[in-house]
Amino acid sequence: MEKGSLPRGRGKPRDENLRETILLASSELLLEKGFRHFTIEGVAARSKASKVTIYKWWPSKGSLALDGYVHTITESIAFPETAWPRQDIERQLSSLITRLTTTPAGRAILELIGAAQEDADLKRELCARYIEPRRQIAAAAFARLLGWDPIEKKDALHAVTDQVYGAIYNRLLFGLTPLDDHFARELVAFWVPPNPNL
Amino acid sequence: MEKGSLPRGRGKPRDENLRETILLASSELLLEKGFRHFTIEGVAARSKASKVTIYKWWPSKGSLALDGYVHTITESIAFPETAWPRQDIERQLSSLITRLTTTPAGRAILELIGAAQEDADLKRELCARYIEPRRQIAAAAFARLLGWDPIEKKDALHAVTDQVYGAIYNRLLFGLTPLDDHFARELVAFWVPPNPNL
């Protein structure tokens, strides 16, 4: 019996486990092979899920690859939430830069961004599944750093975060250097100069 | 007799004219067809130059398309150099945004950036022929705006310009809005708040 045709009554936990297994397989395949060689068949084989099941949850190869990417990167680029928002952001930017420059995640996201420029659906998925949610989280962190009201200053916060992350992605997309811990701290320092008493 | 085999002694002006003709054909073809359907054969046909001649000056399709892009965009995104550096930069950013969002140049550069993510040679050419030269020009303009020494503060100027242009390209790459004149002025205002007396 195909997993994809399991009666819905069999319950959520099983579905959740299967979903998790598929996401893990998707992220592994994406990081190993890159987006160019990423296929729904490959994820089905690796996760032992049927293609029918996969298509039930993901409308396209791109949406599955993107969720796989989000699955593999989210934890490592979370914003710590301590009493020191500056340090929280510096750490988040450093983690992001490290992941992008020293692990296969960098190649994966560049390939996804690249492919999205020729594929309007993929661009929409990229924005909806990765960019837009991360942008909201980053805006909230910068609101804490700058002491700005997150709702009233929403547009300005997006302009700030688009500049900070835009600089990082620009360097990655065009192969510009340096793109390292020091650059992470430098970026933050433009927005909140370091306290000379600390 | 093939144009590509003209004896070199026939003089520079002729070469320069031919080069100009090829660049114009290249930019027209890129903007009409997009990078995906851009070919050296197509440029040869349109410019009436031989492929041998084209290959004499451009090592690859990517390098020719990039120089075609630079040829078509450079004038419209020049930095005015008046006594008002703020206005110069606002105008330049506005022109760039207008070109990217309302003309085929936007699609062309997105396709080139996209294709470069799967093609290391194209990424190098993109950086060498377009990004790096523009980055130097922008850094010089921001040095005037901020009153910074362009040599001493070179790295900081690149960090500023990568943020400003990174924000613009991020919005374009991910389909984020707004990306308009107002955003151009908003970006500049982060770096030099407007003079309330003006």
Side-chain angles (χ1 to χ4, degrees):
Chain A
M1 182 179 180
E2 276 218 328
K3 280 180 181 172
S5 59
L6 278 175
R8 286 179 176 264
R10 290 288 275 277
K12 263 238 165 105
R14 187 155 185 175
D15 263 16
E16 274 308 307
N17 282 346
L18 183 54
R19 215 185 127 85
E20 181 76 14
T21 305
I22 295 168
L23 279 175
L24 185 63
S26 163
S27 67
E28 285 173 358
L29 198 68
L30 179 67
L31 297 190
E32 270 173 34
K33 308 268 184 187
F35 184 58
R36 198 207 293 239
H37 303 292
F38 178 95
T39 59
I40 294 213
E41 286 75 12
V43 176
R46 189 179 283 238
S47 64
K48 312 259 191 298
S50 74
K51 282 171 65 179
V52 172
T53 303
I54 294 176
Y55 275 115
K56 198 174 67 181
W57 287 319
W58 290 276
S60 61
K61 164 188 150 162
S63 60
L64 179 58
L66 282 163
D67 279 1
Y69 183 76
V70 170
H71 185 77
T72 189
I73 195 107
T74 299
E75 206 168 309
S76 63
I77 61 167
F79 280 88
E81 262 199 60
T82 71
W84 297 276
R86 177 198 199 88
Q87 223 177 68
D88 293 347
I89 291 179
E90 284 175 351
R91 281 193 192 157
Q92 197 274 339
L93 294 177
S94 283
S95 303
L96 175 65
I97 289 173
T98 302
R99 296 284 289 186
L100 293 178
T101 56
T102 68
T103 78
R107 184 187 68 163
I109 193 65
L110 287 181
E111 281 181 321
L112 285 162
I113 295 171
Q117 304 318 314
E118 289 275 4
D119 179 341
D121 288 336
L122 184 61
K123 187 179 275 200
R124 256 191 306 276
E125 298 274 13
L126 171 62
C127 193
R129 289 169 194 263
Y130 183 59
I131 301 297
E132 204 45 86
R134 297 300 315 170
R135 213 170 163 232
Q136 302 308 335
I137 297 170
F142 273 85
R144 290 196 300 279
L145 175 69
L146 298 164
W148 291 0
D149 183 282
I151 294 166
E152 202 185 304
K153 300 269 269 177
K154 184 172 152 273
D155 292 347
L157 284 164
H158 281 156
V160 172
T161 55
D162 286 357
Q163 287 185 79
V164 170
Y165 291 89
I168 292 173
Y169 278 101
N170 248 30
R171 291 206 172 177
L172 197 68
L173 282 158
F174 304 135
L176 302 168
T177 55
L179 184 51
D180 55 15
D181 277 6
H182 174 76
F183 187 53
R185 288 192 299 276
E186 190 183 6
L187 283 173
V188 177
F190 280 111
W191 300 97
V192 179
N195 181 336
N197 301 318
L198 289 179
Chain B
M1 185 180 180
E2 278 219 326
K3 281 181 180 172
S5 58
L6 280 174
R8 284 176 178 267
R10 291 289 275 273
K12 262 239 165 104
R14 186 154 189 172
D15 263 16
E16 275 307 306
N17 282 346
L18 182 55
R19 216 184 126 87
E20 181 76 13
T21 305
I22 295 169
L23 279 175
L24 184 64
S26 162
S27 67
E28 285 172 358
L29 198 69
L30 178 69
L31 297 189
E32 270 173 37
K33 308 270 183 187
F35 184 57
R36 198 207 292 240
H37 303 290
F38 178 95
T39 58
I40 293 212
E41 285 75 13
V43 176
R46 189 178 282 241
S47 64
K48 312 258 191 300
S50 73
K51 283 172 63 181
V52 173
T53 303
I54 295 177
Y55 275 116
K56 196 174 70 180
W57 285 319
W58 290 277
S60 61
K61 165 188 150 163
S63 60
L64 179 57
L66 281 163
D67 278 0
Y69 183 76
V70 170
H71 186 75
T72 187
I73 194 107
T74 299
E75 206 167 309
S76 64
I77 61 167
F79 280 88
E81 262 199 63
T82 70
W84 298 276
R86 174 195 202 90
Q87 224 178 68
D88 293 346
I89 291 179
E90 283 176 350
R91 282 194 192 156
Q92 197 275 338
L93 294 178
S94 283
S95 304
L96 174 66
I97 288 173
T98 302
R99 297 284 290 186
L100 293 179
T101 56
T102 68
T103 79
R107 183 186 72 163
I109 192 66
L110 286 180
E111 282 182 321
L112 285 163
I113 294 171
Q117 304 317 314
E118 289 274 5
D119 179 339
D121 287 336
L122 183 61
K123 188 180 276 201
R124 255 191 306 276
E125 299 273 14
L126 171 61
C127 193
R129 287 170 195 264
Y130 183 59
I131 301 297
E132 203 46 84
R134 297 300 315 171
R135 213 171 164 229
Q136 302 309 334
I137 295 169
F142 273 84
R144 287 196 301 275
L145 175 69
L146 297 163
W148 291 359
D149 183 282
I151 293 167
E152 204 185 303
K153 300 269 268 176
K154 184 172 151 272
D155 293 347
L157 285 164
H158 281 157
V160 172
T161 54
D162 287 356
Q163 287 185 81
V164 170
Y165 292 88
I168 292 172
Y169 278 100
N170 249 30
R171 293 206 170 176
L172 196 70
L173 282 158
F174 303 135
L176 303 168
T177 54
L179 185 51
D180 54 16
D181 276 6
H182 174 76
F183 187 53
R185 287 191 299 275
E186 191 184 5
L187 283 173
V188 176
F190 280 112
W191 299 98
V192 178
N195 183 337
N197 302 319
L198 289 182

